[in-house]
Amino acid sequence: MTTRPPTPSRRTLLRALAALPASALVLGELPGLLGTAEAAAPASGYATRYTIVPFLNSDDGTVNVYQSDDATDFRLLQSSAYTPPSNRIRDASIFKHTDGYYYVTYTTHTWEDVSTTIGFARSSDRVTWTFLYDYTVPITNLSRAWAPEWFVDSDGSVNVIVSCSTTDDEWIFTPYILTASNSALTAWSSPVALAGIGSNHIDTYIVKVGSTYHAFTKNETAKYIEYLTATSLTGPYTISRTGDWAGWGSYREGPSVIQLDNGGWRIFFDGYGDGNYYYSDSYDTFATWSTPTALATLSGTARHFTVIKETVSGGTSVTKNATRSFQSVNYTTRYWEEVSSLLNLPVVTSSSATADKTAATFTVVAGLADANGYSIRDASGNYLRHYNFRGRFDANDGTTTFAKDATFIARTGSSSGSVRFESYNYPGYYLRHYNYQLRVEISDGTDLFRQDSSFTPVTSWA
């Protein structure tokens, strides 16, 4: 299968007033501790959940909460979920602490104003939030403290990385780290600058893989997201990629990186120059990246966010090592059926020919590429896989590519008891019917797509 294919930001505006001259997270799925990332499809009865808390393109006085099970199709969980008692809320970063609460930290003022504090709030359910306090960042002659981001290191330490400028040059930012001195997150160490990144970098975001810290940071002069590495959180960092090294383009900011269920890495960033919010994926530990794709449900609405990933109970599942037929949710007389090795969606009834009933019966087994995922066989033992975006059945050739093409992750469908099958190696792409043919296509975020890609496992026809 082939590779898939403005509103000005505060930085753009402030650069009109002055000469051109962070955030961090270690990813994982353990409750309360974002440690070394673990990649696998969720087990039966569990689901992956991604949460973001962006401020709005139209209003930086409040934030919405969105969630997604695939890091592509984000759905509104709560509008205007948190409005601080005073000032603004921008660049909100979220994490789940060991006390069971979700915490956000955020920029407290608009880009025009002096902003020496960062805000804190918490929630037990991600819906109802309580203001905690505004914290004055103790840097001499501080002018602005922007884009604070949670970072929970693999040793369990809780940190905030924040981009700061001083009054001698209020538009030149340097990333600093604050480390929590208590579990209540009410006391913080003195700020320490991240060595090697240097001034004129903002929105620094770090993920830890093994013993290496990988940093993604916006160069405010070039407007590109650069890439650096270090063996210590505080550095020194070495810049290894500059310019348009990843093909993301310029006028990009607010990078946030998360590991997907299939082991790949996804970066999100605010394409403030063109009004879209983008993602891009890497499968070689950040060396190369896919062409940026705009997030359909967020572009034009959400601004600067970070992402947390959790594994939660209540996910969908399909019985393995059993035969099933798959009924369309929105065309209930139609079922999956293999026709000349291709997967179609014809009408199947009790009066259908025996051959049609057999061709509409499948065996569900553990995923070839991930045992928590699903693979599906026809009566002759061939596997359902995607090829040129079409669902078809082929014999397993034993290759890694085939195993991934023939593995799907079960996501909750649009109606009770239904399931959506997400491609394992093309996250965000789902088996959906179009002209009564089954194809693998990227979600466009609409209810119609969710219905077209939802199928109910039922008693097999044969």
Side-chain angles (χ1 to χ4, degrees):
M1 187 169 174
T2 56
T3 303
R4 59 182 176 273
T7 298
S9 75
R10 63 179 187 267
R11 282 80 164 180
T12 301
L13 295 170
L14 65 85
R15 285 298 182 263
L17 301 177
L20 285 173
S23 65
L25 197 59
V26 179
L27 304 171
E29 300 180 50
L30 301 177
L33 174 61
L34 294 141
T36 302
E38 298 178 357
S44 177
Y46 290 85
T48 300
R49 185 173 73 192
Y50 303 87
T51 302
I52 62 172
V53 187
F55 76 96
L56 308 181
N57 191 47
S58 59
D59 185 0
D60 64 358
T62 190
V63 290
N64 290 347
V65 179
Y66 297 84
Q67 66 181 19
S68 172
D69 58 3
D70 61 9
T72 303
D73 183 8
F74 283 89
R75 294 283 168 139
L76 182 65
L77 176 64
Q78 181 65 46
S79 62
S80 299
Y82 172 64
T83 301
S86 61
N87 302 317
R88 305 285 89 189
I89 177 167
R90 302 170 67 93
D91 317 323
S93 176
I94 181 173
F95 96 111
K96 189 176 184 181
H97 195 22
T98 52
D99 62 6
Y101 283 93
Y102 297 88
Y103 288 79
V104 292
T105 181
Y106 53 91
T107 304
T108 57
H109 291 76
T110 67
W111 66 270
E112 302 103 325
D113 299 332
V114 171
S115 180
T116 59
T117 61
I118 55 177
F120 292 87
R122 76 175 186 177
S123 171
S124 62
D125 58 8
R126 301 174 300 138
V127 172
T128 302
W129 293 83
T130 301
F131 171 75
L132 296 177
Y133 61 95
D134 286 339
Y135 176 75
T136 301
V137 179
I139 293 177
T140 302
N141 298 323
L142 179 65
S143 175
R144 284 165 173 80
W146 283 358
E149 308 291 356
W150 296 109
F151 177 92
V152 184
D153 210 339
S154 52
D155 63 0
S157 62
V158 179
N159 309 271
V160 168
I161 294 182
V162 58
S163 298
C164 297
S165 69
T166 53
T167 53
D168 59 334
D169 200 336
E170 60 185 341
W171 306 128
I172 302 299
F173 289 83
T174 298
Y176 288 82
I177 184 170
L178 308 170
T179 301
S181 303
N182 60 19
S183 60
L185 308 180
T186 57
W188 300 90
S189 67
S190 297
V192 176
L194 299 182
I197 294 179
S199 62
N200 207 33
H201 287 86
I202 196 168
D203 299 347
T204 302
Y205 194 99
I206 300 171
V207 293
K208 187 179 183 184
V209 182
S211 59
T212 302
Y213 296 84
H214 302 258
F216 299 82
T217 184
K218 181 193 177 188
N219 181 312
E220 272 287 59
T221 298
K223 310 298 185 187
Y224 290 113
I225 296 173
E226 299 180 343
Y227 171 69
L228 313 86
T229 56
T231 56
S232 170
L233 173 58
T234 55
Y237 286 86
T238 300
I239 298 178
S240 60
R241 296 288 187 274
T242 60
D244 194 19
W245 65 278
W248 299 326
S250 61
Y251 291 88
R252 307 299 193 229
E253 65 186 22
S256 177
V257 182
I258 199 81
Q259 193 169 35
L260 302 172
D261 285 343
N262 68 357
W265 293 90
R266 173 162 292 182
I267 187 170
F268 300 87
F269 52 83
D270 190 344
Y272 63 93
D274 57 28
N276 287 317
Y277 222 105
Y278 292 97
Y279 72 85
S280 175
D281 296 343
S282 176
Y283 290 91
D284 51 13
T285 316
F286 316 133
T288 60
W289 294 82
S290 65
T291 301
T293 301
L295 288 161
T297 56
L298 298 178
S299 291
T301 300
R303 297 296 308 277
H304 193 137
F305 59 75
T306 59
V307 187
I308 60 165
K309 176 184 178 183
E310 301 173 87
T311 297
V312 296
S313 61
T316 190
S317 62
V318 183
T319 303
K320 293 176 179 176
N321 300 314
T323 57
R324 290 289 183 268
S325 292
F326 293 92
Q327 180 185 36
S328 169
V329 161
N330 53 352
Y331 289 86
T332 55
T333 62
R334 293 180 177 271
Y335 296 78
W336 288 11
E337 183 177 333
E338 181 183 0
V339 180
S340 300
S341 296
L342 298 176
L343 186 58
N344 291 340
L345 194 74
V347 173
V348 181
T349 70
S350 58
S351 60
S352 294
T354 299
D356 288 323
K357 292 180 179 179
T358 299
T361 297
F362 306 94
T363 301
V364 180
V365 297
L368 294 178
D370 185 329
N372 284 344
Y374 296 86
S375 291
I376 297 170
R377 295 196 306 245
D378 65 10
S380 63
N382 289 335
Y383 285 85
L384 172 65
R385 54 90 62 96
H386 60 77
Y387 186 84
N388 285 339
F389 301 101
R390 188 71 162 89
R392 60 173 293 126
F393 289 85
D394 289 312
N396 183 2
D397 63 10
T399 64
T400 299
T401 296
F402 185 95
K404 292 179 178 180
D405 285 353
T407 298
F408 299 87
I409 299 176
R411 307 294 190 191
T412 301
S414 62
S415 64
S416 178
S418 68
V419 63
R420 304 171 71 207
F421 287 101
E422 182 189 17
S423 168
Y424 181 80
N425 52 349
Y426 284 79
Y429 282 65
Y430 287 84
L431 278 171
R432 63 87 59 97
H433 64 77
Y434 185 82
N435 285 340
Y436 308 124
Q437 298 177 344
L438 273 292
R439 305 180 58 82
V440 173
E441 294 186 352
I442 191 169
S443 172
D444 62 8
T446 64
D447 289 337
L448 178 60
F449 186 95
R450 291 179 65 85
Q451 293 166 8
D452 285 351
S453 58
S454 294
F455 303 92
T456 304
V458 296
T459 302
S460 59
W461 280 107

